[in-house]
Amino acid sequence: EKFRDGLTKTRDSFSGKVNDLVARYRKVDEDFFEELEEILIQADVGFDTVMELIDQLKYEVKRRNITDTAEVQTVISEKLVDIYNSGENQTSTLNIQDNALTVILFVGVNGVGKTTTIGKLAHKFITEGKSVFLAAGDTFRAGAIDQLEVWGDRVGAPVIKQAEGSDPAAVMFDAIQAAKSRNADILLCDTAGRLQNKVNLMKELEKVKRVIEREIPGAPHEVLLVLDATTGQNALIQAKTFKEATDVTGIVLSKLDGTAKGGIVLAIRNELKIPVKFVGLGERMDDLQEFDPEKYVYGLFA
Ligand code: GDP
C-alpha cells in the first residue's frame, strides 16, 4: 500500500504512457520499441539501463514469439525486476549486530533528506524495541544540530552533540562512549554534506570513520548515502562522488513520492551497483520503506 501511494506520480506518468503506447501499437515493431525507449528515458531509468532493458525485451519477444503489444507489458515488469536483481549484493537488509552496538553512518549533500531519514529510521528501530542514539555529526551547517534534536525528541532518541563548528570526529567519539555506556543497540550518525570541496569531504569522512573503527572494530556497519529522487540524474552524479570518497554500503532514496521520474531507482542500482536499502515516501516518521523491487515494479503499474 505504502509503495503504491508513494509511487502515484511516477505511476500516473509512466504507466499512463505505456498504456497509451500499447493501445496505439497493436503489433510489436521497431517503432514501438523506440517509443518505449523514450518513455523509459523520460522516467529517469538512465540511458545504459534503458538500452539493456530494451535489448532484453527484444530478445524475450523473439524467444516467446510475442506479437501482441499487450503481452509485452508483462514482460516489461518481469525484466524491470530482473534488472534490479541482477548482479551481486542486491539485498536491502541492514547489517545489524546481535547483542552489540551497531553504528550506521549517513552521508549525502544538504537538503536531500538526511536528517529526516535518520529520524524515520530511529523511529523504525525504536518501534522494534531497540534503543537508539543519534550523533549530531553535521557541525557545519547552521541549524543541523537543532533539527536532529527535534527528530530525537519526536521519536524518543537521545542526541549526542557538541557546539556548532566543533570536530565531527570528536562528536562521534562522545556518541560512541555514551551509546556504549548505556548499552544502546543502534547509533545513527549524521555527517556534514558539503560537496563543493571533495578533498575536504573525503578527509572529514575518513577521519570520522577512523574514530568509529578505532572504538568499535568492524564499525561503521553501514554507510548509507541519502539521495533525493527528485533531482534525477544529478543524484547519480552525487552518488559517484560519494562512492569515490567513502565505501558506501547502501542507498536511501528519499522523496520518491515527490517525483514522476521514479525510474531513477533502476538507474542507481544498475549504474552504481549499490543496493537501494530504503526509499522515502513522504515526510512523516513512518514514511520510510525497506526497498522491495517487486513491490516497486508492481507499484509502477498497478
Ligand atoms: P538534510 O539537509 O539532508 O538533512 O534534509 P532534511 O532531512 O532537512 O530534508 C529536507 C526536506 O525534505 C524537508 O522538508 C523534509 O521534510 C523533506 N523530505 C525528506 N524526506 C522526504 C520524503 O521521503 N518525501 C518528501 N515528500 N519529503 C521529504
Side-chain angles (χ1 to χ4, degrees):
E1 272 310 300
K2 275 260 146 80
F3 262 93
R4 261 188 53 83
D5 294 348
L7 286 167
T8 303
K9 285 190 185 168
T10 301
R11 181 174 56 254
D12 285 354
S13 154
F14 180 70
S15 70
K17 287 179 194 160
V18 173
N19 288 341
D20 172 62
L21 180 69
V22 166
R24 278 189 295 114
Y25 284 84
R26 280 285 137 75
K27 274 176 57 194
V28 188
D29 59 14
E30 203 46 48
D31 288 345
F32 171 83
F33 280 120
E34 229 162 78
E35 281 200 41
L36 180 62
E37 200 176 295
E38 188 52 39
I39 292 170
L40 289 161
I41 283 174
Q42 278 173 15
D44 259 347
V45 174
F47 186 78
D48 294 347
T49 313
V50 171
M51 291 306 136
E52 193 181 328
L53 181 68
I54 296 285
D55 276 352
Q56 291 190 18
L57 279 176
K58 284 182 177 169
Y59 176 82
E60 280 300 310
V61 162
K62 209 167 164 192
R63 194 178 67 87
R64 297 193 208 169
N65 244 325
I66 296 172
T67 50
D68 189 348
T69 51
E71 264 182 84
V72 180
Q73 224 166 336
T74 24
V75 188
I76 296 173
S77 308
E78 277 172 38
K79 288 294 148 196
L80 285 171
V81 175
D82 280 359
I83 281 206
Y84 187 88
N85 283 333
S86 66
E88 301 154 36
N89 193 25
Q90 69 270 26
T91 174
S92 63
T93 315
L94 290 177
N95 174 21
I96 302 293
Q97 308 302 295
D98 292 326
N99 306 313
L101 182 64
T102 298
V103 182
I104 303 178
L105 197 61
F106 288 81
V107 300
V109 304
N110 291 335
V112 291
K114 213 166 0 133
T115 316
T116 308
T117 300
I118 292 173
K120 288 170 175 175
L121 200 58
H123 171 68
K124 182 181 175 292
F125 285 130
I126 289 167
T127 311
E128 292 168 2
K130 296 191 167 78
S131 72
V132 180
F133 274 56
L134 309 180
D138 184 354
T139 59
F140 187 76
R141 181 169 67 91
I145 301 170
D146 291 345
Q147 208 193 333
L148 194 68
E149 282 196 299
V150 169
W151 270 105
D153 287 343
R154 193 178 292 162
V155 302
V159 177
I160 308 304
K161 59 168 185 175
Q162 288 185 9
E164 209 178 294
S166 57
D167 183 354
V171 177
M172 296 308 165
F173 181 84
D174 278 0
I176 289 172
Q177 307 316 316
K180 271 187 181 168
S181 73
R182 308 239 313 256
N183 282 323
D185 300 305
I186 313 272
L187 175 64
L188 305 179
C189 308
D190 196 8
T191 61
R194 51 210 149 115
L195 248 196
Q196 295 85 339
N197 187 332
K198 204 165 96 183
V199 178
N200 277 353
L201 173 82
M202 275 193 210
K203 275 194 189 147
E204 184 165 313
L205 288 177
E206 262 167 34
K207 191 174 171 195
V208 161
K209 273 186 84 176
R210 221 168 31 239
V211 168
I212 296 173
E213 276 160 15
R214 199 180 58 214
E215 295 308 306
I216 304 176
H221 303 96
E222 292 278 355
V223 178
L224 298 181
L225 170 63
V226 183
L227 297 172
D228 178 342
T230 66
T231 61
Q233 298 300 308
N234 220 339
L236 269 176
I237 296 166
Q238 283 170 21
K240 281 172 190 157
T241 307
F242 274 95
K243 206 179 159 187
E244 284 165 26
T246 190
D247 297 318
V248 177
T249 59
I251 292 193
V252 179
L253 194 61
S254 68
K255 310 185 201 180
L256 200 55
D257 57 305
T259 180
K261 298 181 166 208
I264 191 72
V265 176
L266 295 156
I268 285 172
R269 168 72 189 121
N270 213 36
E271 289 176 33
L272 300 170
K273 313 290 179 213
I274 303 173
V276 176
K277 299 214 171 186
F278 290 94
V279 289
L281 299 169
E283 294 184 279
R284 290 167 311 153
M285 62 173 117
D286 53 2
D287 288 335
L288 187 76
Q289 290 285 308
E290 218 167 271
F291 184 70
D292 177 325
E294 272 165 42
K295 282 188 194 156
Y296 161 77
V297 170
Y298 175 77
L300 288 182
F301 290 101

